[in-house]
Amino acid sequence: MNGTADATVGGRAIRVLIADDQPLVRRGLALILTPDPAFEVVGEAGDGEEAVALAHRLRPDVVVMDIRMPVLDGVAATARLARELPGCRVLALSTFDMDEYVVAALRAGAYGFLPKDVSPEELVAAVRVVHTGEAAVAPRLLTRLIAAYVRAPHRAGPAAVAVDAGELTPREAEVWRLMARGLDNAEIARALDISVSTVKNHITAVFGKLGVRDRAQAVIAAYETGLVAVGTQG
């Protein structure tokens, strides 16, 4: 595989922790990543509690985290890592593409997700993307997920993303709306007749003003605040 230099951290391999309750799945994921010198699999965990403990001890750059595990599930483990080790980025795994637990994991702080039947190339690419701090989830799939599992505006409870959209400019609000409808940066640029770099600047401003960390949380917030209603995604 190429692009090894881009994937390393200051010249060292990206440290990866794999958490899944099935030993064969853990081994398979490790066998995909280990041959690439851009990655170092530093540990494996069989449940969320062990994953959090190992992350504190091993300080991985990325945790590949199964969502449904015993003792402590992947959603709760992700929330703890986001709170306790914010520099450790979680890539969630799910058996199913459409899974309400995926949205819960994204809301809890995961940087992206993959179904377990992804190709080796997709896994490698997703770990690289998550390591850079970008969201590893296709925009339209993200929108489908959130439209399916984030139902009511102004959801109550700790799972909701608390945002204040009052500071957004009209252009920033429109970028947010298009993002929530599943458009990627290039599509937003075409829709608004602006450059991709300008779109990126607007998105950075949206994240800062909403108090969200990434695209996934921004899209969740759009549905939860009622900016976009279920069935309006494009």
Side-chain angles (χ1 to χ4, degrees), residues 51-128:
V52 173
L54 284 177
H56 275 277
R57 180 159 62 86
L58 301 174
R59 299 301 171 112
D61 301 303
V62 176
V63 178
V64 180
M65 180 88 73
D66 185 22
I67 291 177
R68 302 185 187 224
M69 291 188 291
V71 185
L72 185 71
D73 68 30
V75 175
T78 296
R80 282 188 55 185
L81 288 177
R83 182 172 63 252
E84 299 169 12
L85 294 173
C88 176
R89 290 159 180 162
V90 173
L91 175 62
L93 288 179
S94 173
T95 304
F96 308 103
D97 285 354
M98 298 298 290
D99 186 346
E100 62 185 313
Y101 286 87
V102 170
V103 174
L106 293 170
R107 189 186 281 118
Y111 274 76
F113 90 94
L114 290 174
K116 285 189 177 181
D117 61 355
V118 295
S119 69
E121 293 78 14
E122 288 172 317
L123 174 66
V124 166
V127 173
R128 292 177 189 270

Side-chain angles (χ1 to χ4, degrees), residues 4-15 38 61 131:
T4 298
D6 293 336
T8 55
V9 185
R12 69 170 173 82
I14 297 171
R15 295 167 60 81
D61 301 303
H131 169 254

Side-chain angles (χ1 to χ4, degrees), residues 1 22 27 36 39 41 50 58 81-82 84 95 106 108 119 121 136 139-140 148 158 175 181 190 192 224 234:
M1 297 174 188
Q22 300 180 42
R27 181 50 36 200
D36 190 328
F39 304 105
V41 177
E50 185 182 12
L58 301 174
L81 288 177
E84 299 169 12
T95 304
L106 293 170
S119 69
E121 293 78 14
R140 293 188 189 281
V175 168
R181 290 178 55 202
R190 287 195 295 271
L192 299 180
E224 290 183 332

Side-chain angles (χ1 to χ4, degrees), residues 2 9 33 50 63 68 114 119 133 139 155 164 181 186 200 206 215 218 225:
N2 54 26
V9 185
L33 295 173
E50 185 182 12
V63 178
R68 302 185 187 224
L114 290 174
S119 69
R155 289 170 64 100
D164 179 5
R181 290 178 55 202
K200 291 179 179 178
V206 168
R215 196 181 201 98
T225 60

